[in-house]
Amino acid sequence: MVFYLVGLGLGDEQDITIRGQRAIESCGTVFLEAYTSVLGVDQEKLEAFYGKPIIIADRNMVESEAEKIYEPAKDGNVALLVVGDPVCATTHTDIIIRAKEFGCKVQVIHNASVMGAVGSCGLQLYNFGQTVSIPFFEENWRPTSFYPKIKYNRDGGMHTLCLLDIKVKEPDFEQLMKGKTAFLPPRYMSVNNCCEQLIEAESKHGENCYDPKTTLCVGLARLGQDSQQIVSGTMKELLSVDFGAPLHSFIICGECHDLEHEMVKEFLLQDSKYVLDGVASLTTQEKNNP
């Protein structure tokens, strides 16, 4: 008996691999992890395409009742469907560890993820530093633990991928105080919201990690879907761009190679006032060292 973690990719129900689909066909129980990300299609389309009923694994199940997902694999094959790739979030790594400790045979079936798809903007993946998460700021909770990591990357000339917060099935505490179980509407951080918070973080720390008026950045929306959108410019400029429906992600550029720069310019806002920190030009090096 096998506990499968199956990557679904980024687009729709048809992005699954042949190996992933065959694994699902062999399973008596199929879960869809709906906490760390969302797919561009609804549950009904997935069920129709895969030919299996799907159980939604929400935040509570994933965080507090994960054993309900992997323990049935002691008696039959079970699949946990994950948007993107199964090993790109610590949530899934924790489930893998716990499933193995329980005695399950675990197989991971990979697929495309945002970690690779960000290369669509032309920035080379090997020039990225630490990935950071940008949480929603609240009235009395405005964490900026991402700032030192961005600075570390920028000091080394590396790009920074920012993964933007998702709030799904958050408890409504006002209703809970009235004895009612209720949840707040889903919230997905936009590129615009991310820029606002990054600008606030720079104002708070003041270490010149980036300049909201001149540092080149890239906003990305719905990577891997037909409606994919990529726009480059400064944080101040991207504040007013309509990136549409979720999910969004964001890149703060470090030093750009000539080829990276040429590609990123394809997505550049007209009359952008960006200034490159430095251009790691292989062409220039070759000219100086024939």
Side-chain angles (χ1 to χ4, degrees), residues 24-282:
I24 292 172
E25 290 170 355
S26 75
C27 292
T29 307
V30 180
F31 294 91
L32 172 64
E33 193 270 279
Y35 167 43
T36 61
S37 190
V38 294
L39 201 61
V41 294
D42 57 29
Q43 178 182 350
E44 288 71 24
K45 275 195 173 182
L46 295 179
E47 290 178 329
F49 189 82
Y50 302 147
K52 294 279 184 177
I54 293 174
I55 302 167
I56 297 297
D58 61 14
R59 176 179 180 173
N60 182 66
M61 180 178 286
V62 171
E63 287 191 333
S64 305
E65 303 174 339
E67 65 278 0
K68 292 183 178 180
I69 300 173
Y70 59 78
E71 285 186 357
K74 293 287 281 187
D75 301 315
N77 290 354
V78 174
L80 175 61
L81 311 184
V82 178
V83 178
D85 187 273
V87 296
C88 289
T90 53
T91 298
H92 309 132
T93 304
D94 177 64
I95 291 175
I96 290 171
I97 292 170
R98 292 169 63 182
K100 287 183 176 179
E101 288 176 346
F102 183 71
C104 296
K105 178 181 179 182
V106 178
Q107 286 191 20
V108 176
I109 300 177
H110 299 283
N111 208 320
S113 79
V114 66
M115 306 295 282
V118 293
S120 301
C121 71
L123 297 174
Q124 297 300 306
L125 299 181
Y126 50 75
N127 289 335
F128 279 77
Q130 300 180 69
T131 298
V132 301
S133 296
I134 310 295
F136 276 114
F137 284 178
E138 306 294 345
E139 183 178 354
N140 299 312
W141 189 71
R142 310 179 82 78
T144 56
S145 56
F146 53 81
Y147 186 90
K149 294 181 180 180
I150 297 173
K151 190 174 190 307
Y152 177 87
N153 290 345
R154 296 266 299 156
D155 287 347
M158 297 176 286
H159 313 310
T160 304
L161 171 61
C162 303
L163 301 179
L164 310 190
D165 202 1
I166 298 172
K167 297 288 189 185
V168 179
K169 211 168 182 181
E170 291 285 307
D172 186 331
F173 292 108
E174 288 188 7
Q175 293 300 314
L176 286 175
M177 290 173 66
K178 299 175 183 178
K180 301 177 182 178
T181 301
F183 301 96
L184 297 170
R187 287 195 297 158
Y188 306 97
M189 184 179 287
S190 66
V191 166
N192 319 91
N193 193 181
C194 172
C195 289
E196 290 174 352
Q197 295 191 181
L198 287 169
I199 292 170
E200 180 179 326
E202 178 57 49
S203 177
K204 174 183 176 181
H205 289 267
E207 298 180 30
N208 297 315
C209 177
Y210 44 81
D211 187 333
K213 295 181 179 179
T214 60
T215 299
L216 182 61
C217 300
V218 185
L220 311 100
R222 300 172 301 285
L223 284 173
Q225 300 181 25
D226 291 338
S227 61
Q228 174 176 295
Q229 181 180 1
I230 301 174
V231 183
S232 59
T234 69
M235 290 182 196
K236 287 281 191 181
E237 293 164 349
L238 295 175
L239 275 172
S240 58
V241 175
D242 182 3
F243 282 90
L247 296 170
H248 296 184
S249 50
F250 192 71
I251 300 170
I252 303 169
C253 297
E255 295 181 3
C256 288
H257 186 283
D258 282 345
L259 293 178
E260 291 181 300
H261 187 214
E262 285 302 309
M263 187 69 174
V264 171
K265 285 197 300 184
E266 294 290 320
F267 308 105
L268 193 65
L269 288 170
Q270 188 173 1
D271 300 322
S272 174
K273 305 299 182 184
Y274 79 96
V275 175
L276 288 180
D277 296 329
V279 180
S281 173
L282 181 61

